[in-house]
């Protein structure tokens, strides 16, 4: 398939790698608001201005939209869906219904297919949750994130006055996880299943105690969590906090007549962008297959049949049964 | 929904419990070749002769077909599909395409929907494999079964001359599993990932050494595996080998540019029939939803959208994203 990548941040770069590593697919190019020179994408990768994407109608089967999540996707995905099949990794949970509506409107009008909120959470973890809740309707599902970096939490810290750089590690409560694995149901809110460790580089003369207070009391992001704030030098920040590793688990327990059933899904990756890009590419190709069957409009991972996601030869999926 | 259960072995009993435990569903009754008196299903459960099932056309939304796998399902599922939506747990891997064809023919003719080979493997583990292979196309997938009882292997032992009762425990190689969890790819065939421990009650005067030889050399079932055969008394057999617990893992590793990604799906249940019945019920209800959308014919778990499997209120699935 002919695949374009929009945006060239960490995820966009990983998406380009994923397409180049896939023998069955061809990279049309990268569409970015930045100039080819600034991007440094390498000589063999064509870079085009984002605004010109509509001119490539005949040349693109699907666009992997890797423009920044919190701000850009609500505009860029509906725009792209007006011309192309598209996937994104929109992850602002509360705004998914709204995003769905605007992407759906665009995709229905253009006769294209979009899948939004693709990645590992939302994405693979959402799938784990829906399958577990479906086959064990009375179960309780627990989601653990980490140990890994949360870009959203780092962004939230950076928005505080006096902060230059920030990094946040989400760390799951291993004891809670082990209790669940022994079949013991827990009555703990999500905040008690994780703690948050932050590394902050402050601006010259900034008030550390004030920054710390603002962080630990920030609603939704930190309030209620056990939060550790460390102030470090810029040198240490650049040296010691480069890892993009992430991990997580979804664990479901169901007390049945014969005892407690447990299902668990687990992910571990040295590179959050690498694993997310692979998932985006797979769902991008699913978009194209669904579009060819006239399944237009906006979808989530819940609407995609596993058979439409599978990239192997037709009929080969029977071997995986 | 109005649900009927065909067959009343371990799985049929668990399916009846699953339907009775589900507030949204109604148990029409059990259809069995055995008489109501022999079944001992309890007073509040209606039992009908299997052959009369066609007379209940107006009263049943879907049939959970729990008649014995190896021999009965190839006949009973197409028969039931001629009249009703139906799910089964057909697990003879090599014969799935053939079974699919005959069920599909019946279901297309009757305008009904069938899902075959539902359970945990084939079933949830098949889903784990197809999702993992889709989002990480160059990965290697490893399936571990156990520790748990394999009914198929016990049946195979029982077919040997001189054997009265038999039990087989499939035991996964924990060291191999741990190696994978550390990201080390293994180059071992499936047989080296498991060992098999058998408990046999022999008939009076049977030749133990001959039975042992026949077991460990049985192709497909035991040959190539590390196999331990223990001869025990009938009393010990009945006393110590009642557990129906089972477990298993699907582990996928993919060497990417940034390091090795790992996805794992894990199941652990004190009762194989209990967890399998829950999966059957969920896919049974999915059959009904797909049938209402005119999606007729035979399907596997790969053809069912997660949204059609979900039993919660419409729109509630967004919370699981």
């Amino acid at each position: 398939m002919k695949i374009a990548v929009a945006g060239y941040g960490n995820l966009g770069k990983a998406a380009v790698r994923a397409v180049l590593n896939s023998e069955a697919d061809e990279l049309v190019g990268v569409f970015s608001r930045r100039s080819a020179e600034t991007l440094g994408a390498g000589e063999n990768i064509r870079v085009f201005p984002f605004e010109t994407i509509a001119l490539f109608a005949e040349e693109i089967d699907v666009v992997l939209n890797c423009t920044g999540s919190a701000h850009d996707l609500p505009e860029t995905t509906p725009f792209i869906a007006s011309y192309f099949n598209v996937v994104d990794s929109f992850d602002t949970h509360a705004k998914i219904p709204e995003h769905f509506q605007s992407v759906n409107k665009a995709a229905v009008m253009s006769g294209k297919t979009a899948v939004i909120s693709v990645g590992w959470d939302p994405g693979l973890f959402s799938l784990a949750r829906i399958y577990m809740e479906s086959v064990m309707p009375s179960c309780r599902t627990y989601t653990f994130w980490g140990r890994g970096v949360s870009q959203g939490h780092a962004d939230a810290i950076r928005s505080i006055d006096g902060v230059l750089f920030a990094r946040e590690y989400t760390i799951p409560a291993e004891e809670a996880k082990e209790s669940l694995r022994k079949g013991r149901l827990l009555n703990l809110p999500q905040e008690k299943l994780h703690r948050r460790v932050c590394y902050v580089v402050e601006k010259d003369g900034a008030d550390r105690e004030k920054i710390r207070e603002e962080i630990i009391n920030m609603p939704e992001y930190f309030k209620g969590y056990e939060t550790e704030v460390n102030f470090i030098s810029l040198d240490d920040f650049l040296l010691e906090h480069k890892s993009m590793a992430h991990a997580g688990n979804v664990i479901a327990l169901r007390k049945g007549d014969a005892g407690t059933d447990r299902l668990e899904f687990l992910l571990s990756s040295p590179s959050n962008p690498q694993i997310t890009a692979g998932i985006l590419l797979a769902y991008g190709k699913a978009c194209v297959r669904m579009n060819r069957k006239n399944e237009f409009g906006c979808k989530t991972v819940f609407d995609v049949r596993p058979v439409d996601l599978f990239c192997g030869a037709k009929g080969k999926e029977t071997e995986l049964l």
Side-chain angles (χ1 to χ4, degrees), chain A:
Chain A
M1 295 186 186
K2 293 177 288 180
I3 294 168
V5 173
Y8 200 67
N10 288 330
L11 183 57
K13 283 176 196 163
V16 164
R17 297 289 321 151
V19 178
L20 293 177
N21 284 338
S22 168
E23 281 184 30
D25 302 307
E26 178 200 328
L27 181 70
V28 178
V30 172
F31 291 82
S32 171
R33 293 213 172 94
R34 290 184 283 159
S35 69
E37 297 73 46
T38 353
L39 280 190
E43 283 189 13
N44 53 344
I45 295 167
R46 301 195 298 168
V47 179
F48 307 102
F50 180 76
E51 294 73 20
T52 66
I53 197 167
L55 304 174
F56 291 75
E58 300 301 306
E59 293 173 52
I60 296 172
D61 288 322
V62 62
V63 178
L64 312 184
N65 187 7
C66 303
T67 59
S69 173
H71 301 295
D72 295 343
L73 299 180
E75 293 192 6
T76 55
T77 303
F79 170 71
I80 298 170
S82 302
Y83 304 97
F84 302 102
N85 300 314
V86 58
V87 281
D88 77 20
S89 60
F90 187 75
D91 64 357
T92 312
H93 210 100
K95 294 186 178 164
I96 290 177
E98 190 184 327
H99 186 52
F100 185 96
Q101 290 305 330
S102 73
V103 175
N104 192 49
K105 198 172 158 190
V108 165
M109 291 280 285
S110 62
K112 298 295 177 184
T113 307
V115 184
I116 60 161
S117 301
V118 166
W120 63 270
D121 197 0
L124 297 187
F125 276 26
S126 320
L127 286 166
R129 288 188 287 262
I130 203 169
Y131 278 113
M132 291 171 184
E133 299 250 359
S134 296
V135 303
M136 309 195 306
S138 56
C139 73
R140 259 197 77 171
T141 311
Y142 305 80
T143 301
F144 292 89
W145 300 282
R147 174 184 173 127
V149 166
S150 164
Q151 192 64 42
H153 286 79
D155 289 346
I157 299 175
R158 254 198 309 270
S159 73
I160 295 173
D161 209 38
V163 172
L164 196 61
F165 290 104
R167 191 92 170 158
E168 190 267 7
Y169 295 94
T170 305
I171 297 167
E174 292 299 334
E175 329 76 68
K177 219 189 275 178
E178 287 315 312
S179 281
L180 291 171
R181 285 181 176 149
K182 285 177 187 138
R184 280 199 289 275
L185 284 159
L186 297 177
N187 225 340
L188 292 174
Q190 204 67 44
E191 304 95 76
K192 298 298 173 198
L193 301 181
H194 298 87
R195 62 195 180 88
R196 304 196 173 281
V197 178
C198 313
Y199 293 87
V200 178
V201 183
E202 83 272 26
K203 290 178 185 159
D204 276 351
D207 181 344
R208 288 186 170 186
E209 218 29 61
K210 195 163 160 284
I211 292 172
R212 185 196 309 273
E213 284 299 314
E214 279 203 53
I215 293 174
I216 65 177
N217 291 309
M218 195 183 291
E220 288 187 57
Y221 286 91
F222 294 98
K223 208 181 159 105
Y225 288 88
E226 184 189 328
T227 301
E228 179 186 317
V229 182
N230 305 286
F231 291 91
I232 57 172
S233 71
L234 181 57
D235 284 352
D236 284 354
F237 185 84
L238 296 175
L239 200 69
E240 286 171 22
H241 297 282
K242 279 186 292 198
S243 166
M244 293 194 280
H246 220 314
N249 312 61
V250 179
I251 302 178
L253 295 184
R254 185 259 306 265
K255 270 198 193 302
D257 297 333
T260 302
D261 297 312
R262 174 167 61 99
L263 297 176
E264 178 170 353
F265 180 68
L266 181 156
L267 173 148
S268 155
S269 173
S271 163
N272 197 346
Q274 170 175 287
I275 195 142
T276 303
I279 305 169
L280 270 184
L281 176 57
Y283 275 95
K285 295 167 63 119
C287 273
V288 180
R289 292 186 198 104
M290 292 168 78
N291 191 261
R292 286 176 184 158
K293 292 192 281 186
N294 298 334
E295 298 181 11
F296 305 141
C298 188
K299 319 281 176 192
T300 73
V301 293
F302 295 161
D303 301 305
V304 180
R305 296 178 195 85
V307 73
D308 285 330
L309 190 68
F310 184 60
C311 302
K314 194 159 164 53
K316 194 185 170 287
E317 69 274 7
T318 312
E319 291 168 27
L320 299 178
L321 262 180

